[in-house]
Every structure is written in C-alpha cells, then in structure tokens.
Amino acid sequence: MFDWLENDLLLTITHCEPASSDASFRRYFRVHASDDCIRAGGIIATQGAVAEQQFIVMDAPPTKENIEPFIRIAKLLAQSDINVPTIFQQNLADGFLLLEDFGSQCFLDRLNASTADDLYQTAFDSLFKLQTQTPEQNSGLPNYDEPLLQRELTIFEEWFLGQFLDIEISTSVWETVSAILMASALEQPRTFVHRDYHSRNLMVLDNDSPGVIDFQDAVIGPITYDLVSLLRDCYIAWPEQQVRQWRLNYFERLQQAGLINCSSAQFNRWFDLMGLQRHLKAIGIFSRLYLRDGKPNYLNDIPRTLNYVTTVCSAYPELTKFNDFLHQQVLPALRLRSGQVPNKVEV
C-alpha cells in the first residue's frame, strides 16, 4: 500500500492509522499526506493552504474482494446527488482506492433522543434522492430476485441455527416462512437499494450530511428495504411508536411522489416482512463473522436483532409456528450458548 501511495502517487505519508473495522475482508486506513506532495502528484483534495490533508485508503485484497462495483456505484450515486466519497486514485490490480475522508463520526456515534429527528431527516432526504434520482435502467445492478433472497435466508439456517446453535428447524416451517418473506419482497415496487443503509454507514458531516458509504452491494429491489434497515437498525433500537411515525411520514412522501400506490397497512406489512428477512440474514452473518472470521463483537448485536424478529413474528398469525420455534428452541439454545463465547451474549 505504501509503495503505491509514495512511489506511484508521489505522496509523502506523515501518519497512518486504522480508520474503521469492516464485516468484509476490506480494511480502511486514514493517512495524512504533505499538501505540497499532494499537489505535485496531481491530487487536489481541498482548497486553501494547509500543511497536510487526510485521505482514506481502502485495501481490498483482489482474491477476496472486487472493488469495481464500489467504483461504478460511487459514480452512479454521485450523479444522483448522493454524497459519496470522491475517489481520487485507484489501483485495481492491488485492490487499493484513495478516497475522500468523511471523518470518523457516523450516525451511531451521535444518535440520541435529542438528535434523532434531525439526523434521521437528513437520512430520509438522502434515501428519497437515492430512490427517485438513481436510474434503474442501464444501472448494471443485479436484481434482488428470488434466488438471492433464498441464498440470504440460508445464511440464517446454516450459520446461526446449524453452526452456532446446533439445532434444526423443520422443513415445513422453514419453507413456509421463506415463501412468505420472498413473496412479500417480490411484490413490492422496485427501486435502487443500498442494502446496508444504517447508522454505521451514514457519516455526520458539516456540509451535505450524511456522507453515504459501504454501497458496493447495491441492487435493484424492494422499496422498503433501505427504510427498514435504517429504522430497525441492528445496532440501535428506537421505541416502536417513534418508528411508526417515521415510517408513516416516509410512506406519505413516497405516495405523494407516485412511487407507491398501496394502503398504509400494505406498506407496513411490506416493511415488517422485509425487516424480518433482513434481520434473519443479519443474525446468520453475525454468527458467521464469529465462527469463520474470528470477530466475536458482532455476537452482541444478535439479541437486539432477534428481538425484532420475534416482535414481527408475534404480529402475523401465518408466522405462528416459526414464532413458536423461536421461543421454544432458539431462545433457550441462545441463552445456553451465550456463556460459551468470548463476548457473552445477553438475551
């Protein structure tokens, strides 16, 4: 990485530090570089005379990560007036990107009862632009289709139930819940889906906030996906009454824009079931990150995420058998398992 920065880009790096953790194999570093050398290398990051400037370097090993989607989608979103990091330089062969630094304050760091309305309003505004201004046609994005939905649900069954808890779910119950969730997702209006639109991927900026990151897995898919990712966040939870109000406000905005033509009740059902699909996938991913990648901290987010799952299941009679399975087998097994991992999972 330093050979590329200093020998190829002619930057003088004065300081380097890890910038953030990631659930993938990507790593991010914050580097400080001499302003004179930045300009000599043809990189103009900011205006005005400063001694040095900061950048983010993405290190994505080509054998494990493909940075081409990040580059392509960053361009697409920038054209839609979404504030994404500027890509100053790229090295596809080695998997390096030199990016604009959005700082270290994400929404999760700043969210509380007094800041939530203002912060979420900026997130809603950005999401609305994302859904209304990003073209679906000729975007090159994959469709969030039935095979992809099924593969994601399999992560829950394989990694959380099978590998982490060592329990099985009956085929009939699992096929029923999978069919319900896929049918609900596929009947929704389709739009651009960031696919990880939550408090850790929205950066608080002085101007044009939020900065949007981690968009490389974007697809064309269900209109409620990013909204439920934001409002039923795996990393922070809000009172359901507040979530309902935010959801209603955004529903009315979509309705006025002509993006949806359904009742509020139908939209709420889509929202609930889309969240259930996403949260099952997330629980599986958190388990895989611990078991396969040695990242136990994500286990602490399972109880919050599983609470979303049981709450939704209890509200829909067609999910009763799955809800019974969760209460009778999953929750007891999770309590037992919680004492056997480095970071105790409080259930």
Side-chain angles (χ1 to χ4, degrees):
M1 182 180 76
F2 285 103
D3 286 344
W4 177 62
L5 294 172
E6 297 184 332
N7 297 334
D8 294 351
L9 302 186
L10 304 179
L11 301 180
T12 297
I13 305 302
T14 59
H15 184 65
C16 176
E17 61 191 7
S20 67
S21 60
D22 196 283
S24 72
F25 293 101
R26 294 182 298 274
R27 298 186 301 166
Y28 295 89
F29 298 92
R30 175 168 286 109
V31 297
H32 302 248
S34 164
D35 188 57
D36 290 341
C37 291
I38 290 170
R39 296 175 189 278
I43 303 168
I44 308 298
T46 61
Q47 295 180 350
V50 293
E52 64 178 23
Q53 295 183 26
Q54 295 179 186
F55 301 92
I56 296 295
V57 178
M58 178 196 293
D59 177 6
T63 57
K64 297 181 180 296
E65 299 285 342
N66 179 13
I67 62 174
E68 188 278 332
F70 183 97
I71 297 168
R72 176 168 46 83
I73 297 169
K75 181 178 180 180
L76 182 68
L77 292 179
Q79 291 171 345
S80 302
D81 198 29
I82 307 299
N83 192 12
V84 296
T86 299
I87 301 174
F88 294 115
Q89 295 287 338
Q90 60 191 53
N91 179 341
L92 294 176
D94 296 316
F96 299 142
L97 293 177
L98 186 69
L99 304 170
E100 179 182 2
D101 186 0
F102 276 169
S104 58
Q105 289 288 305
C106 67
F107 270 37
L108 186 60
D109 299 324
R110 298 279 290 273
L111 279 168
N112 56 52
S114 62
T115 64
D117 278 327
D118 289 341
L119 285 173
Y120 277 125
Q121 188 57 55
T122 67
F124 295 141
D125 291 344
S126 184
L127 178 58
F128 188 74
K129 286 194 295 184
L130 187 149
Q131 293 185 323
T132 58
Q133 299 182 25
T134 308
E136 297 178 41
Q137 301 297 323
N138 302 317
S139 67
L141 296 177
N143 287 316
Y144 212 160
D145 55 15
E146 184 172 340
L148 179 53
L149 288 162
Q150 184 64 67
R151 286 199 301 273
E152 290 188 342
L153 286 168
T154 299
I155 299 172
F156 173 83
E157 184 184 20
E158 177 183 352
W159 286 95
F160 180 62
L161 297 182
Q163 301 263 3
F164 187 64
L165 296 183
D166 193 24
I167 61 177
E168 294 183 358
I169 184 171
S170 74
T171 300
S172 62
V173 171
W174 184 240
E175 287 182 347
T176 297
V177 71
S178 297
I180 290 170
L181 298 183
M182 288 190 290
S184 177
L186 293 172
E187 73 182 8
Q188 296 183 39
R190 303 179 74 73
T191 186
F192 182 98
V193 176
H194 177 290
R195 211 164 158 210
D196 248 340
Y197 199 81
H198 58 66
S199 60
R200 286 185 173 176
N201 289 333
L202 299 173
M203 307 303 294
V204 180
L205 306 178
D206 292 334
N207 298 301
D208 200 15
S209 190
V212 179
I213 61 173
D214 206 18
F215 41 75
Q216 63 281 336
D217 294 323
V219 294
I220 300 299
I223 198 167
T224 62
Y225 192 95
D226 285 338
L227 184 65
V228 76
S229 300
L230 180 68
L231 297 184
R232 290 192 179 145
D233 192 329
C234 294
Y235 307 109
I236 187 170
W238 298 101
E240 187 56 30
Q241 182 179 359
Q242 178 66 79
V243 171
R244 283 197 298 268
Q245 188 60 56
W246 282 327
R247 181 180 61 199
L248 176 61
N249 292 345
Y250 197 77
F251 163 76
E252 293 175 346
R253 190 171 183 178
L254 291 175
Q255 198 173 46
Q256 291 168 6
L259 268 69
I260 55 173
N261 181 22
C262 66
S263 66
S264 176
Q266 178 65 73
F267 187 81
N268 294 348
R269 177 182 170 86
W270 285 342
F271 179 91
D272 283 344
L273 297 184
M274 192 75 260
L276 179 54
Q277 187 274 344
R278 173 176 167 78
H279 292 134
L280 292 175
K281 175 187 72 170
I283 291 168
I285 290 174
F286 294 153
S287 304
R288 186 174 66 188
L289 285 167
Y290 165 63
L291 294 168
R292 188 191 69 183
D293 303 332
K295 298 179 179 181
N297 288 342
Y298 286 95
L299 295 179
N300 296 320
D301 300 309
I302 288 179
R304 181 187 306 107
T305 309
L306 189 56
N307 183 61
Y308 290 138
V309 169
T310 56
T311 299
V312 168
C313 287
S314 66
Y316 291 89
E318 60 267 46
L319 297 174
T320 297
K321 289 185 178 180
F322 184 53
N323 194 40
D324 290 343
F325 166 74
L326 294 173
H327 284 277
Q328 295 169 11
Q329 296 192 50
V330 171
L331 290 177
L334 184 59
R335 293 189 186 100
L336 179 63
R337 187 75 170 94
S338 67
Q340 303 170 1
V341 297
N343 287 19
K344 186 177 181 180
V345 183
E346 299 291 346
V347 184

